[in-house]
Amino acid sequence: MPKTIILGIESSCDDTSAAILVDGVMVANLTATQKIHEQYGGVVPELASRSHQANIIPVVHQVLQQCGLNKNEISAVAVTRGPGLMGSLIVGLGFAKSFAQALNIPIIEVNHMQAHVLAHFIDDPKPTFPFLCLTVSGGHTQIVLIEDHLKMSILGETLDDAAGEAFDKAAKMLGLPYPGGPLVDKYAKEGNPDRFSFPIPAIPSLNFSFSGTKTAILYFLRDQMKENPHFIQENLPDICASIQKNIVHILLSKLKKAAQETGIKEIAIAGGVSANSGLRNGLIELGEKKGWNTYIPQFQYCTDNAAMIAITGYYKYLKGDFAALDMTPLARWEI
Ligand code: KG4
Ligand code: ZN
């Protein structure tokens, strides 16, 4: 029987990524990250689109080379249709459409947030259904109930900033370059998380809010800097550890509530912020206390990558769920 070979393409934000999945097994996953945004303190959409344009063909070419495949062997191309930055999505989608049309193969539309969750199906151990996933990225913060690979619903989400955005904005206030989340994590490892405290929002539902944390950090730093202009340099690890503790606490307390309300003990995390050591360790600890089976993605599958697009594409391929070549990108798209 011929093999099912899926080419995954991801370009929703500032990472251009391509991956190859053969009969459900990941054989190559390559990502070109865009350093250009560092100096601007955030992703500049127009610069992101231009970098995607420059990167997409070399990245696909290299990923094919890496696994010794010819493009004519590919069964289908799976591509992120949204949510994301419109210009960035257009590049990936435009490339995927041309590729599918030229090779006369199906094109599969993939929801980026659904793909973050399905990253758990790339390797073992895989969660069993139903499970809960806390999906935390630069643009989203969601608690998702997953009943089947392609059947998901959102139980709670952020009312303002996403968790990654909270990390990045806090980092920016501390003078750290974009994306600041990984740097806050790095400094937090050497700091005392109990040195400073920030407010926990009192929201009764499974929704999140990070705007209070952001404002509290801003005022806190402003007041401290008035007294000591070197406050940040002198206390960076303790500040980072205390901010991280606050964000992780907000995330895990809602996850705990969702588990309690649904009675589900299969619990996963996904998205860029699931690379955070405080969140990873906090989930393991909480899982042991609560008797949960916890699932934490490998680092390479936390932040944006095409492997998760390819695996989602694979499940859709098995169902014959193909998209039309005239589909348009969706900047917003609920799972
Ligand atoms: O999923 P992702 O790569 O892109 C989006 O879909 O948004 O997530 C990127 C976000 C950024 O906000 C970044 O700062 C955050 O994930 N992030 C982290 C860590 N690694 C990435 N935040 C905290 N700690 C980390 N180790
Ligand atoms: Zn993402």
Side-chain angles (χ1 to χ4, degrees):
M1 218 170 89
K3 289 182 168 160
T4 301
I5 303 178
I6 308 284
L7 167 66
I9 305 279
E10 156 63 31
S11 75
S12 65
C13 190
D14 59 343
D15 293 313
T16 321
S17 187
I20 298 282
L21 186 82
V22 179
D23 286 337
V25 178
M26 198 57 60
V27 293
N29 176 35
L30 199 70
T31 302
T33 52
Q34 304 178 359
K35 290 270 168 229
I36 189 153
H37 308 288
E38 263 177 27
Q39 57 187 297
Y40 299 100
V43 176
V44 182
E46 179 55 29
L47 296 178
S49 317
R50 288 188 217 172
S51 297
H52 283 306
Q53 267 181 329
N55 292 340
I56 189 114
I57 292 174
V59 167
V60 172
H61 185 71
Q62 271 185 45
V63 89
L64 285 169
Q65 261 186 344
Q66 249 181 32
C67 43
L69 276 176
N70 186 291
K71 58 182 181 307
N72 295 310
E73 296 172 80
I74 294 169
S75 319
V77 53
V79 61
T80 307
R81 185 179 180 191
L85 298 171
M86 192 46 95
S88 293
L89 291 167
I90 284 172
V91 178
L93 206 60
F95 174 86
K97 284 180 186 180
S98 321
F99 195 88
Q101 194 163 28
L103 295 171
N104 198 23
I105 55 173
I107 187 167
I108 301 167
E109 57 171 2
V110 173
N111 179 302
H112 181 89
M113 298 313 294
Q114 200 169 49
H116 269 304
V117 174
L118 293 181
H120 284 286
F121 292 86
I122 297 171
D123 284 322
D124 287 328
K126 298 177 175 67
T128 53
F129 301 114
F131 70 95
L132 294 177
C133 186
L134 169 72
T135 315
V136 269
S137 71
H140 293 79
T141 300
Q142 302 174 332
I143 294 182
V144 186
L145 167 66
I146 300 97
E147 291 169 84
D148 197 1
H149 294 112
L150 302 171
K151 192 170 176 226
M152 309 183 181
S153 51
I154 297 171
L155 302 183
E157 61 191 327
T158 185
L159 302 173
D160 38 59
D161 289 350
E165 216 175 340
F167 270 110
D168 295 340
K169 285 181 178 170
K172 199 172 174 181
M173 291 183 231
L174 296 170
L176 301 172
Y178 179 86
L183 292 168
V184 172
D185 190 0
K186 184 181 140 204
Y187 289 113
K189 286 184 182 137
E190 297 140 34
N192 173 7
D194 299 317
R195 172 97 184 274
F196 309 111
S197 66
F198 300 103
I200 304 292
I203 296 173
S205 63
L206 291 174
N207 289 332
F208 302 87
S209 169
F210 293 100
S211 62
T213 297
K214 187 178 63 183
T215 313
I217 295 169
L218 182 72
Y219 290 160
F220 167 76
L221 292 176
R222 189 194 59 186
D223 293 347
Q224 297 290 335
M225 297 288 275
K226 260 190 221 154
E227 282 178 27
N228 171 12
H230 304 294
F231 177 74
I232 292 177
Q233 290 110 293
E234 288 169 8
N235 298 284
L236 192 58
D238 288 351
I239 304 170
C240 288
S242 303
I243 291 172
Q244 181 165 299
K245 183 185 166 192
N246 177 276
I247 298 174
V248 168
H249 180 90
I250 294 173
L251 292 172
L252 289 181
S253 55
K254 290 295 169 143
L255 194 53
K256 201 159 60 179
K257 188 172 160 63
Q260 211 166 9
E261 285 179 9
T262 57
I264 293 172
K265 288 179 180 288
E266 292 279 303
I267 313 282
I269 54 173
V273 181
S274 66
N276 182 267
S277 60
L279 181 60
R280 295 167 85 93
N281 295 335
L283 179 72
I284 293 169
E285 217 174 280
L286 187 61
E288 279 168 5
K289 218 165 83 186
K290 297 274 175 194
W292 297 345
N293 293 322
T294 52
Y295 300 89
I296 298 175
Q298 281 183 38
F299 283 109
Q300 60 166 329
Y301 301 137
C302 289
T303 45
D304 289 349
N305 65 87
M308 67 186 197
I309 305 302
I311 192 83
T312 308
Y314 178 63
Y315 289 114
K316 289 191 150 194
Y317 183 90
L318 296 179
K319 292 195 157 191
D321 185 356
F322 304 132
L325 275 175
D326 62 356
M327 67 169 154
T328 50
L330 299 171
R332 289 171 171 274
W333 184 11
E334 283 266 299
I335 58 176

